[in-house]
């Protein structure tokens, strides 16, 4: 069911943050129609980021296909496209054209650099966008190169999730005003926004530009990962004094020995002690010792282990659909629960029919080689 039931979203096929945004909306109940290029192979069931929507294939080089796409726009609440600036305009599907057809449309544009600016027409990837925001510079060990945090910060947190929020805001506003608008979601903007708390800490003099020397970047001994006897790792995060004291108690340390634990000058000695201690037992031994306590310590699990953890299993944080393990929809809703849909399903004729195309219309599109 989901809280977005009744909303229709037209997604132009792409990679990365656009499909992620569409997955989030589909999980929450929106009807998402994914428009693939003609001749594209069927999406594999393992690509569960494409779950929960039907796909149609149109040849957007065909005038008949462009007109059919505009008819799909007529009944859509939102649109997602992730091309370089100007591509949709050249196709005849730019925001001016689409909003003229459907004045309530939320027209979502997902790019790395945004719709304008010196780099707007340049290629890029997550690592480039987060590099220009200060995010990449801040992640890594002292004296070493910055470490790419997968593509979570630019593509997904600062990209797809930002676009989902923007589209929902635009659709909500349109319910009152009756007017749609363009949502320009740039990953460089989103990554910068995610960095707001870190920039705030820097403004207050509480963040050093030196990687790995701050409280939350691995500099503090009580906010880091440690290697265990079996070569696996444990995550340690008891920031608050009472949590730190509990960790010390469990480790056999006297917390009163560290009255200046918040001072960076005291960190190397304490970190050295913790390194030696955690190497003395296996990761799972430490996890068993600390599980369920307020010491803020957890095992670092890999992607095979994480779905099997009892807490994740109790909450159904991961799902197994036909042998494919995948994250479940989030967040949770008490009355209109979100549900992951099945793998993407090619359904060109059925989708067109549901959107008001007659059998004669569909036959004409096929005759024109638009399908």
């Amino acid at each position: 069911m989901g809280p977005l039931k009744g909303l229709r979203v037209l997604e132009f096929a792409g990679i990365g943050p656009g499909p992620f945004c569409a997955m989030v909306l589909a999980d929450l109940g929106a009807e998402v129609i994914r428009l693939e290029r003609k001749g594209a192979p069927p999406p594999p069931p393992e690509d569960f980021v494409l779950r929960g929507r039907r796909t149609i294939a149109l040849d957007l080089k065909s005038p008949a296909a462009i007109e059919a796409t505009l008819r799909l726009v007529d009944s859509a609440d939102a649109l997602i496209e992730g091309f370089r600036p100007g591509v949709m305009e050249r196709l005849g599907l730019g925001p001016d054209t689409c909003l003229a057809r459907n004045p309530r449309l939320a027209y979502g544009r997902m790019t790395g650099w945004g719709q304008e600016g010196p780099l707007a027409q340049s290629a890029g990837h997550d690592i480039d966008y987060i590099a220009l925001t200060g995010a990449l510079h801040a992640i890594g060990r002292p004296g070493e190169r910055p470490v790419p945090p997968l593509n979570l910060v630019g593509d997904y947190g600062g990209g797809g999730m930002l676009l989902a929020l923007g589209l929902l805001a635009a659709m909500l506003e349109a319910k009152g005003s009756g007017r749609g608008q363009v949502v320009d979601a740039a990953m460089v903007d989103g990554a910068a926004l995610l960095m707001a708390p870190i920039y705030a800490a820097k403004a207050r003099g509480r963040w050093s530009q030196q990687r790995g020397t701050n409280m939350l970047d691995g500099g503090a001994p009580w906010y880091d990962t440690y290697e265990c006897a079996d070569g696996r790792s444990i995550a340690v995060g008891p920031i608050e004094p009472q949590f730190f004291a509990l960790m010390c108690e469990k480790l056999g340390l006297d917390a009163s020995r560290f009255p200046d634990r918040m001072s960076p000058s005291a960190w190397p000695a304490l970190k050295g002690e913790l390194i030696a201690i955690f190497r003395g037992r296996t990761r799972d031994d430490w996890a068993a010792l600390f599980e369920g306590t307020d010491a803020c310590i957890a095992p670092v699990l890999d992607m095979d282990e994480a779905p099997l953890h009892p807490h994740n299993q109790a909450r159904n944080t991961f799902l197994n659909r036909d042998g494919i393990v995948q994250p479940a929809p989030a967040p949770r809703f008490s009355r209109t629960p979100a549900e992951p849909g099945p793998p993407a399903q090619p359904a060109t004729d059925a989708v067109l029919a549901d959107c008001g195309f007659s059998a004669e219309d569909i036959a004409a599109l096929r005759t024109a080689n638009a399908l």
Side-chain angles (χ1 to χ4, degrees):
M1 187 165 67
L4 300 185
K5 183 179 180 181
L7 295 179
R8 176 175 286 168
V9 179
L10 181 61
E11 171 200 4
F12 286 78
I15 60 173
F20 179 81
C21 171
M23 180 196 75
V24 170
L25 299 178
D27 284 351
L28 298 184
E31 177 194 2
V32 180
I33 299 168
R34 180 174 167 92
L35 199 161
E36 296 273 7
R37 70 182 186 280
K38 182 181 177 181
E46 296 82 8
D47 190 357
F48 54 78
V49 175
L50 302 184
R51 68 192 182 196
R53 56 255 214 204
R54 295 180 295 173
T55 69
I56 66 174
L58 292 172
D59 181 3
L60 294 183
K61 296 179 181 178
S62 161
I66 295 298
E67 179 54 35
T69 302
L70 288 171
R71 285 184 61 182
L72 295 175
V73 167
D74 291 342
S75 64
D77 297 285
L79 178 153
I80 295 171
E81 67 95 358
F83 301 116
R84 292 198 201 193
V87 170
M88 289 289 280
E89 285 83 351
R90 290 193 291 275
L91 287 171
L93 297 170
D96 290 346
T97 301
C98 290
L99 284 164
R101 294 282 298 243
N102 180 355
R104 297 172 61 91
L105 182 71
Y107 192 106
R109 316 200 81 168
M110 183 77 262
T111 60
W113 303 116
Q115 294 300 307
E116 68 281 320
L119 297 176
Q121 291 295 334
S122 302
H125 279 295
D126 177 295
I127 194 170
D128 306 302
Y129 314 133
I130 68 173
L132 256 63
T133 64
L136 183 57
H137 181 274
I139 301 171
R141 294 295 182 182
E144 298 182 5
R145 291 172 295 136
V147 176
L150 303 182
N151 55 333
L152 300 176
V153 178
D155 277 348
Y156 303 121
M161 199 69 80
L162 183 76
L163 179 58
L165 173 64
L167 288 174
L168 291 175
M171 286 188 282
L172 181 62
E173 195 277 338
K175 285 185 176 296
S177 68
R179 300 173 61 194
Q181 59 186 303
V182 175
V183 180
D184 176 5
M187 286 175 257
V188 67
D189 298 343
L193 183 63
L194 290 175
M195 284 289 287
I198 308 304
Y199 273 97
K202 179 177 176 293
R204 300 197 307 274
R206 298 179 182 178
W207 192 270
S208 167
Q209 295 268 43
Q210 299 302 312
R211 277 185 297 279
T213 65
N214 298 282
M215 185 174 73
L216 299 178
D217 65 358
W222 27 265
Y223 203 88
D224 203 352
T225 59
Y226 291 90
E227 184 178 3
C228 303
D230 55 358
R232 294 189 286 185
S233 298
I234 198 83
V236 174
I239 298 174
E240 293 81 0
Q242 68 273 28
F243 301 156
F244 177 77
L246 180 57
M247 179 193 74
C248 288
E249 176 187 332
K250 293 282 189 181
L251 295 178
L253 290 172
D254 181 0
S256 66
R257 290 178 48 217
F258 312 105
D260 56 349
R261 73 178 186 95
M262 299 300 289
S263 173
S265 64
W267 291 352
L270 176 54
K271 181 164 285 194
E273 290 195 48
L274 293 180
I275 288 173
I277 290 171
F278 282 114
R279 280 178 177 164
R281 298 172 66 173
T282 68
R283 182 201 68 181
D284 291 346
D285 285 342
W286 290 122
L289 177 65
F290 287 104
E291 186 169 359
T293 74
D294 284 347
C296 304
I297 292 178
V300 178
L301 305 179
D302 64 29
M303 288 189 288
D304 290 328
E305 296 172 308
L308 302 178
H309 190 276
H311 185 81
N312 291 335
Q313 289 196 326
R315 287 186 57 80
N316 293 317
T317 300
F318 294 88
L319 305 175
N320 190 318
R321 289 288 184 88
D322 300 321
I324 300 171
V325 176
Q326 53 192 284
R332 310 289 173 91
F333 295 85
S334 63
R335 187 172 54 80
T336 56
E339 295 182 13
Q345 302 171 353
T348 297
D349 287 12
V351 169
L352 291 174
D354 289 347
C355 292
F357 287 72
S358 67
E360 291 76 15
D361 293 335
I362 297 171
L365 287 170
R366 190 160 279 114
T367 299
N369 290 319
L371 301 182

